[in-house]
């Protein structure tokens, strides 16, 4: 797949469009969306922003993308400096203003701005398990998927950096592990074979295998990856009723909602519509699902009427080349 398409464009645009589709109905309940379901792009009255506006999910993704593309490697310090520019200078944003910032991301960026230490700035503990690091992880996952495939990096190096970049704001193994599992899914979608469920399952299997290794971290890893038990059998997970899927800002709920939306649809459009209409943290669920859907179905699968109104579409395209 990777030699035929620009997978950076597929994945990053998938994130941005999902984010923009979900932002106008962020925090609406599932019951409210049953009464008025999302079927396409809407103006973002919540943030008094025009149609096609995207939020912190895409802004932080673009901040990371800029750093990796500009430097040619992963530099957590430089990524954090870009996050500071986003939060305090309105860089990397849809409308040149900071739209939405989660409390944990704000804490980490503010802490770094004050003390300048990337290893201690992120919040830790149980309440550091929001979805704010998973939502922005696509660029580093794509970078290391390519590097591991070419033999220029090991999986251990990839996961170490992915965890470090998550920990800039979300310094808990559960949140870091979600980013790691996402990396394995990205790698399988880009370089694997089979249908979407097969690639997602293979990715999760590789992730569980990595985290389940018998090493010094085994006990801690095992305790945490039990939180992702539904991903042990994704085909069975597809049959879980919607009433059992939560779409809150908790990283496990968000990841589950995103994967469930993907495996119960067969197009980018339908996956995004399903993800958004789950309600609650609509922009982030759709952004996380959208990145994977974009990789699998391709940029060309994203509805043109959605792309046509996306804020800074050309800039995103240029950033992905």
């Amino acid at each position: 797949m990777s030699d035929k398409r620009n997978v950076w464009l597929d994945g990053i645009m998938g994130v941005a469009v999902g984010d923009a589709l979900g932002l106008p109905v962020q925090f609406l309940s599932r019951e409210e969306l049953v009464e008025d379901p999302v079927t396409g792009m809407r103006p973002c009255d919540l943030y008094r922003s025009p149609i096609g506006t995207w939020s912190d999910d895409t802004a932080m993704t673009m901040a990371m993308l800029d750093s990796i593309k500009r430097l040619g490697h992963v530099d957590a310090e430089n990524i954090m400096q870009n996050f500071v520019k986003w939060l305090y200078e309105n860089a990397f944003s849809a409308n040149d203003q900071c739209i939405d910032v989660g409390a944990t991301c704000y804490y980490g960026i503010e802490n770094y701005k004050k003390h300048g230490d990337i290893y201690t700035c992120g919040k830790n503990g149980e309440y550091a398990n929001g979805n704010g690091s998973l939502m922005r992880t696509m660029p580093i996952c794509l970078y290391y998927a390519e590097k591991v495939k070419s033999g220029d990096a090991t999986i251990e190096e990839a996961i170490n950096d992915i965890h470090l970049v998550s920990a800039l704001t979300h310094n808990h193994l559960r949140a870091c592990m979600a980013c790691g599992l996402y990396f394995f899914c990205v790698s399988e979608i880009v370089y694997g074979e089979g249908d979407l469920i097969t690639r997602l399952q293979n990715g999760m299997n590789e992730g569980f295998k990595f985290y389940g290794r018998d090493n010094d971290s085994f006990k801690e890893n095992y305790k945490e990856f039990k939180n992702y038990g539904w991903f042990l059998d994704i085909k069975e997970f597809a049959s879980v009723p919607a009433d059992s899927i939560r779409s809150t800002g908790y990283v496990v709920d968000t990841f589950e909602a995103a994967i469930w939306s993907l495996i119960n649809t067969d197009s980018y459009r339908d996956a995004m519509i399903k993800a958004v209409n789950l309600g609650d943290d609509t922009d982030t669920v759709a952004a996380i699902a959208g990145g994977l859907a974009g990789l699998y179905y391709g940029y060309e699968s994203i509805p043109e009427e959605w792309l046509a109104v996306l804020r800074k579409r050309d800039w995103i395209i240029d950033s992905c080349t």
Side-chain angles (χ1 to χ4, degrees), residues 13-171:
M13 194 63 82
V15 170
V17 172
D19 181 6
L21 189 72
L23 185 63
V25 294
Q26 187 185 37
F27 308 131
L28 291 185
S29 70
R30 198 170 301 180
E31 291 72 24
E32 288 174 298
L33 288 172
V34 167
E35 295 298 320
D36 183 22
V38 172
T39 59
M41 290 284 189
R42 300 179 178 184
C44 186
D45 296 337
L46 179 64
Y47 295 99
R48 298 181 181 179
S49 296
I51 191 169
T53 295
W54 33 266
S55 73
D56 55 335
D57 303 58
T58 303
M60 297 186 81
T61 297
M62 295 304 294
M64 190 190 303
L65 177 67
D66 169 80
S67 177
I68 292 173
K69 288 284 192 178
R70 176 167 39 83
L71 300 179
H73 62 271
V74 173
D75 183 324
E77 183 101 35
N78 190 259
I79 289 170
M80 197 53 158
Q81 290 167 358
N82 272 2
F83 290 166
V84 171
K85 290 178 182 178
W86 161 65
L87 186 59
Y88 295 101
E89 301 173 24
N90 299 321
F92 310 108
S93 296
N95 303 324
D96 299 319
Q97 65 182 100
C98 180
I99 296 176
D100 200 11
V101 57
T104 306
C105 286
Y106 180 83
Y107 174 93
I109 298 168
E110 176 70 10
N111 199 11
Y112 172 78
K113 188 169 180 284
K114 287 180 179 178
H115 305 292
D117 187 349
I118 62 170
Y119 298 101
T120 61
C121 57
K123 185 175 287 188
N124 52 31
E126 186 67 26
Y127 290 100
N129 285 312
N131 54 27
S133 63
L134 179 59
M135 72 185 188
R136 65 177 190 245
T137 201
M138 178 60 77
I140 192 171
C141 291
L142 285 171
Y143 172 83
Y144 271 116
E146 291 182 0
K147 291 297 182 182
V148 170
K149 178 68 174 177
S150 66
D152 293 326
T154 66
I155 291 177
E156 288 77 10
E157 290 170 334
I159 295 299
N160 284 343
D161 268 358
I162 287 167
H163 281 204
L164 174 60
V165 170
S166 169
L168 293 172
T169 54
H170 293 69
N171 192 9

